[in-house]
mmCIF file of all heavy atoms in Angstrom:
data_model
loop_
_atom_site.group_PDB
_atom_site.id
_atom_site.type_symbol
_atom_site.label_atom_id
_atom_site.label_comp_id
_atom_site.label_asym_id
_atom_site.label_seq_id
_atom_site.Cartn_x
_atom_site.Cartn_y
_atom_site.Cartn_z
ATOM 1 N N THR C 87 30.263 86.667 124.976
ATOM 2 C CA THR C 87 29.496 86.582 123.736
ATOM 3 C C THR C 87 29.116 85.127 123.487
ATOM 4 O O THR C 87 29.708 84.213 124.047
ATOM 5 C CB THR C 87 30.339 87.055 122.540
ATOM 6 O OG1 THR C 87 31.455 86.188 122.406
ATOM 7 C CG2 THR C 87 30.839 88.474 122.739
ATOM 8 N N PHE C 88 28.146 84.937 122.641
ATOM 9 C CA PHE C 88 27.780 83.585 122.228
ATOM 10 C C PHE C 88 29.032 82.825 121.791
ATOM 11 O O PHE C 88 29.277 81.705 122.216
ATOM 12 C CB PHE C 88 26.808 83.630 121.042
ATOM 13 C CG PHE C 88 25.368 83.704 121.441
ATOM 14 C CD1 PHE C 88 24.734 84.925 121.592
ATOM 15 C CD2 PHE C 88 24.647 82.542 121.667
ATOM 16 C CE1 PHE C 88 23.406 84.987 121.950
ATOM 17 C CE2 PHE C 88 23.311 82.597 122.022
ATOM 18 C CZ PHE C 88 22.691 83.824 122.166
ATOM 19 N N HIS C 89 29.799 83.481 120.928
ATOM 20 C CA HIS C 89 30.929 82.766 120.355
ATOM 21 C C HIS C 89 31.958 82.391 121.406
ATOM 22 O O HIS C 89 32.472 81.279 121.407
ATOM 23 C CB HIS C 89 31.566 83.592 119.230
ATOM 24 C CG HIS C 89 30.706 83.678 118.007
ATOM 25 N ND1 HIS C 89 29.760 84.649 117.842
ATOM 26 C CD2 HIS C 89 30.640 82.898 116.907
ATOM 27 C CE1 HIS C 89 29.143 84.469 116.682
ATOM 28 N NE2 HIS C 89 29.654 83.420 116.095
ATOM 29 N N SER C 90 32.264 83.279 122.308
ATOM 30 C CA SER C 90 33.318 82.957 123.266
ATOM 31 C C SER C 90 32.824 81.946 124.306
ATOM 32 O O SER C 90 33.562 81.036 124.685
ATOM 33 C CB SER C 90 33.872 84.217 123.923
ATOM 34 O OG SER C 90 32.883 84.880 124.650
ATOM 35 N N VAL C 91 31.585 82.074 124.748
ATOM 36 C CA VAL C 91 31.074 81.125 125.735
ATOM 37 C C VAL C 91 31.016 79.720 125.150
ATOM 38 O O VAL C 91 31.456 78.744 125.771
ATOM 39 C CB VAL C 91 29.674 81.557 126.230
ATOM 40 C CG1 VAL C 91 28.999 80.418 126.968
ATOM 41 C CG2 VAL C 91 29.777 82.771 127.131
ATOM 42 N N PHE C 92 30.533 79.614 123.918
ATOM 43 C CA PHE C 92 30.369 78.270 123.376
ATOM 44 C C PHE C 92 31.686 77.711 122.836
ATOM 45 O O PHE C 92 31.845 76.493 122.751
ATOM 46 C CB PHE C 92 29.222 78.235 122.374
ATOM 47 C CG PHE C 92 27.923 78.511 123.076
ATOM 48 C CD1 PHE C 92 27.210 79.683 122.870
ATOM 49 C CD2 PHE C 92 27.453 77.615 124.027
ATOM 50 C CE1 PHE C 92 26.053 79.942 123.578
ATOM 51 C CE2 PHE C 92 26.294 77.872 124.739
ATOM 52 C CZ PHE C 92 25.590 79.041 124.513
ATOM 53 N N ALA C 93 32.614 78.580 122.531
ATOM 54 C CA ALA C 93 33.957 78.078 122.216
ATOM 55 C C ALA C 93 34.523 77.399 123.463
ATOM 56 O O ALA C 93 35.130 76.331 123.383
ATOM 57 C CB ALA C 93 34.868 79.221 121.773
ATOM 58 N N ARG C 94 34.295 78.008 124.596
ATOM 59 C CA ARG C 94 34.786 77.438 125.855
ATOM 60 C C ARG C 94 34.154 76.080 126.121
ATOM 61 O O ARG C 94 34.812 75.142 126.557
ATOM 62 C CB ARG C 94 34.432 78.388 127.003
ATOM 63 C CG ARG C 94 35.649 79.025 127.637
ATOM 64 C CD ARG C 94 35.242 80.018 128.673
ATOM 65 N NE ARG C 94 35.316 79.477 130.026
ATOM 66 C CZ ARG C 94 34.925 80.171 131.096
ATOM 67 N NH1 ARG C 94 34.440 81.392 130.964
ATOM 68 N NH2 ARG C 94 35.023 79.644 132.291
ATOM 69 N N ILE C 95 32.870 76.003 125.868
ATOM 70 C CA ILE C 95 32.187 74.736 126.094
ATOM 71 C C ILE C 95 32.674 73.682 125.097
ATOM 72 O O ILE C 95 32.885 72.520 125.449
ATOM 73 C CB ILE C 95 30.660 74.942 126.010
ATOM 74 C CG1 ILE C 95 30.209 75.707 127.256
ATOM 75 C CG2 ILE C 95 29.923 73.616 125.879
ATOM 76 C CD1 ILE C 95 28.741 76.008 127.316
ATOM 77 N N LEU C 96 32.903 74.110 123.882
ATOM 78 C CA LEU C 96 33.370 73.150 122.877
ATOM 79 C C LEU C 96 34.785 72.648 123.152
ATOM 80 O O LEU C 96 35.146 71.550 122.741
ATOM 81 C CB LEU C 96 33.295 73.776 121.478
ATOM 82 C CG LEU C 96 31.889 73.867 120.881
ATOM 83 C CD1 LEU C 96 31.896 74.690 119.609
ATOM 84 C CD2 LEU C 96 31.307 72.482 120.621
ATOM 85 N N ARG C 97 35.573 73.444 123.844
ATOM 86 C CA ARG C 97 36.900 72.944 124.238
ATOM 87 C C ARG C 97 36.742 71.638 125.016
ATOM 88 O O ARG C 97 37.580 70.755 124.960
ATOM 89 C CB ARG C 97 37.620 73.950 125.130
ATOM 90 C CG ARG C 97 37.998 75.236 124.460
ATOM 91 C CD ARG C 97 39.327 75.162 123.735
ATOM 92 N NE ARG C 97 39.490 76.342 122.893
ATOM 93 C CZ ARG C 97 39.878 76.327 121.630
ATOM 94 N NH1 ARG C 97 40.162 75.176 121.049
ATOM 95 N NH2 ARG C 97 39.984 77.421 120.941
ATOM 96 N N VAL C 98 35.657 71.561 125.763
ATOM 97 C CA VAL C 98 35.413 70.368 126.566
ATOM 98 C C VAL C 98 34.703 69.280 125.754
ATOM 99 O O VAL C 98 35.023 68.100 125.871
ATOM 100 C CB VAL C 98 34.548 70.729 127.800
ATOM 101 C CG1 VAL C 98 34.293 69.497 128.654
ATOM 102 C CG2 VAL C 98 35.220 71.828 128.611
ATOM 103 N N GLU C 99 33.761 69.696 124.920
ATOM 104 C CA GLU C 99 32.857 68.711 124.315
ATOM 105 C C GLU C 99 33.171 68.332 122.866
ATOM 106 O O GLU C 99 32.628 67.344 122.362
ATOM 107 C CB GLU C 99 31.414 69.235 124.371
ATOM 108 C CG GLU C 99 30.972 69.766 125.727
ATOM 109 C CD GLU C 99 30.934 68.673 126.804
ATOM 110 O OE1 GLU C 99 30.959 67.477 126.444
ATOM 111 O OE2 GLU C 99 30.906 69.021 127.997
ATOM 112 N N ALA C 100 33.994 69.112 122.197
ATOM 113 C CA ALA C 100 34.119 68.929 120.744
ATOM 114 C C ALA C 100 34.763 67.597 120.359
ATOM 115 O O ALA C 100 34.600 67.137 119.232
ATOM 116 C CB ALA C 100 34.904 70.086 120.119
ATOM 117 N N THR C 101 35.486 66.978 121.298
ATOM 118 C CA THR C 101 36.100 65.690 120.957
ATOM 119 C C THR C 101 35.032 64.657 120.623
ATOM 120 O O THR C 101 35.278 63.724 119.870
ATOM 121 C CB THR C 101 36.962 65.162 122.120
ATOM 122 O OG1 THR C 101 36.195 65.233 123.307
ATOM 123 C CG2 THR C 101 38.224 65.991 122.277
ATOM 124 N N ARG C 102 33.836 64.845 121.197
ATOM 125 C CA ARG C 102 32.734 63.939 120.862
ATOM 126 C C ARG C 102 32.395 63.989 119.383
ATOM 127 O O ARG C 102 31.819 63.062 118.833
ATOM 128 C CB ARG C 102 31.473 64.320 121.635
ATOM 129 C CG ARG C 102 31.592 64.200 123.127
ATOM 130 C CD ARG C 102 30.353 64.789 123.770
ATOM 131 N NE ARG C 102 30.517 64.903 125.209
ATOM 132 C CZ ARG C 102 30.142 63.965 126.076
ATOM 133 N NH1 ARG C 102 29.571 62.873 125.656
ATOM 134 N NH2 ARG C 102 30.329 64.153 127.365
ATOM 135 N N LEU C 103 32.693 65.117 118.756
ATOM 136 C CA LEU C 103 32.363 65.280 117.342
ATOM 137 C C LEU C 103 33.577 65.026 116.456
ATOM 138 O O LEU C 103 33.537 65.247 115.247
ATOM 139 C CB LEU C 103 31.844 66.700 117.084
ATOM 140 C CG LEU C 103 30.636 67.132 117.915
ATOM 141 C CD1 LEU C 103 30.308 68.594 117.652
ATOM 142 C CD2 LEU C 103 29.437 66.255 117.605
ATOM 143 N N GLY C 104 34.676 64.582 117.076
ATOM 144 C CA GLY C 104 35.855 64.269 116.285
ATOM 145 C C GLY C 104 36.836 65.422 116.121
ATOM 146 O O GLY C 104 37.808 65.318 115.388
ATOM 147 N N TYR C 105 36.579 66.522 116.801
ATOM 148 C CA TYR C 105 37.532 67.635 116.754
ATOM 149 C C TYR C 105 38.547 67.474 117.878
ATOM 150 O O TYR C 105 38.231 66.897 118.921
ATOM 151 C CB TYR C 105 36.801 68.965 116.969
ATOM 152 C CG TYR C 105 36.032 69.464 115.782
ATOM 153 C CD1 TYR C 105 34.700 69.106 115.598
ATOM 154 C CD2 TYR C 105 36.622 70.326 114.855
ATOM 155 C CE1 TYR C 105 33.978 69.568 114.509
ATOM 156 C CE2 TYR C 105 35.905 70.801 113.776
ATOM 157 C CZ TYR C 105 34.588 70.429 113.600
ATOM 158 O OH TYR C 105 33.889 70.899 112.538
ATOM 159 N N PRO C 106 39.731 67.999 117.698
ATOM 160 C CA PRO C 106 40.652 68.056 118.838
ATOM 161 C C PRO C 106 40.154 69.127 119.816
ATOM 162 O O PRO C 106 39.479 70.067 119.392
ATOM 163 C CB PRO C 106 41.972 68.491 118.187
ATOM 164 C CG PRO C 106 41.577 69.229 116.967
ATOM 165 C CD PRO C 106 40.298 68.603 116.490
ATOM 166 N N SER C 107 40.463 68.959 121.090
ATOM 167 C CA SER C 107 39.965 69.978 122.029
ATOM 168 C C SER C 107 40.718 71.292 121.833
ATOM 169 O O SER C 107 40.237 72.353 122.210
ATOM 170 C CB SER C 107 40.098 69.492 123.465
ATOM 171 O OG SER C 107 41.453 69.270 123.754
ATOM 172 N N ASP C 108 41.872 71.214 121.226
ATOM 173 C CA ASP C 108 42.605 72.441 120.907
ATOM 174 C C ASP C 108 42.309 72.912 119.491
ATOM 175 O O ASP C 108 43.189 73.420 118.803
ATOM 176 C CB ASP C 108 44.118 72.201 121.054
ATOM 177 C CG ASP C 108 44.539 72.282 122.510
ATOM 178 O OD1 ASP C 108 43.871 72.995 123.270
ATOM 179 O OD2 ASP C 108 45.530 71.626 122.866
ATOM 180 N N PHE C 109 41.089 72.711 119.044
ATOM 181 C CA PHE C 109 40.753 73.137 117.680
ATOM 182 C C PHE C 109 41.081 74.614 117.479
ATOM 183 O O PHE C 109 41.030 75.416 118.408
ATOM 184 C CB PHE C 109 39.272 72.866 117.377
ATOM 185 C CG PHE C 109 38.315 73.610 118.263
ATOM 186 C CD1 PHE C 109 37.927 74.917 117.975
ATOM 187 C CD2 PHE C 109 37.781 73.003 119.394
ATOM 188 C CE1 PHE C 109 37.047 75.599 118.794
ATOM 189 C CE2 PHE C 109 36.893 73.684 120.211
ATOM 190 C CZ PHE C 109 36.535 74.980 119.916
ATOM 191 N N THR C 110 41.425 74.930 116.259
ATOM 192 C CA THR C 110 41.723 76.305 115.895
ATOM 193 C C THR C 110 40.432 77.008 115.500
ATOM 194 O O THR C 110 39.518 76.366 114.989
ATOM 195 C CB THR C 110 42.682 76.317 114.684
ATOM 196 O OG1 THR C 110 43.833 75.548 115.006
ATOM 197 C CG2 THR C 110 43.095 77.717 114.317
ATOM 198 N N ILE C 111 40.370 78.306 115.732
ATOM 199 C CA ILE C 111 39.229 79.074 115.245
ATOM 200 C C ILE C 111 39.676 79.892 114.045
ATOM 201 O O ILE C 111 40.591 80.715 114.150
ATOM 202 C CB ILE C 111 38.659 79.986 116.348
ATOM 203 C CG1 ILE C 111 38.174 79.137 117.522
ATOM 204 C CG2 ILE C 111 37.528 80.840 115.799
ATOM 205 C CD1 ILE C 111 37.809 79.931 118.753
ATOM 206 N N TYR C 112 39.065 79.635 112.914
ATOM 207 C CA TYR C 112 39.425 80.357 111.693
ATOM 208 C C TYR C 112 38.679 81.679 111.617
ATOM 209 O O TYR C 112 37.461 81.720 111.758
ATOM 210 C CB TYR C 112 39.063 79.519 110.458
ATOM 211 C CG TYR C 112 40.120 78.502 110.062
ATOM 212 C CD1 TYR C 112 39.888 77.618 109.019
ATOM 213 C CD2 TYR C 112 41.350 78.439 110.717
ATOM 214 C CE1 TYR C 112 40.848 76.687 108.640
ATOM 215 C CE2 TYR C 112 42.312 77.517 110.349
ATOM 216 C CZ TYR C 112 42.057 76.635 109.313
ATOM 217 O OH TYR C 112 43.005 75.730 108.931
ATOM 218 N N ASP C 113 39.412 82.730 111.387
ATOM 219 C CA ASP C 113 38.747 84.018 111.192
ATOM 220 C C ASP C 113 38.427 84.202 109.703
ATOM 221 O O ASP C 113 38.670 83.313 108.881
ATOM 222 C CB ASP C 113 39.598 85.165 111.749
ATOM 223 C CG ASP C 113 40.877 85.376 110.955
ATOM 224 O OD1 ASP C 113 41.005 84.794 109.859
ATOM 225 O OD2 ASP C 113 41.743 86.114 111.429
#
Side-chain angles (χ1 to χ4, degrees):
Chain C
T87 62
F88 271 92
H89 289 88
S90 62
V91 166
F92 294 111
R94 247 176 99 184
I95 288 179
L96 284 171
R97 293 274 168 227
V98 180
E99 311 295 344
T101 49
R102 297 172 190 268
L103 303 175
Y105 284 90
S107 62
D108 280 332
F109 62 85
T110 305
I111 299 170
Y112 276 176
D113 68 12

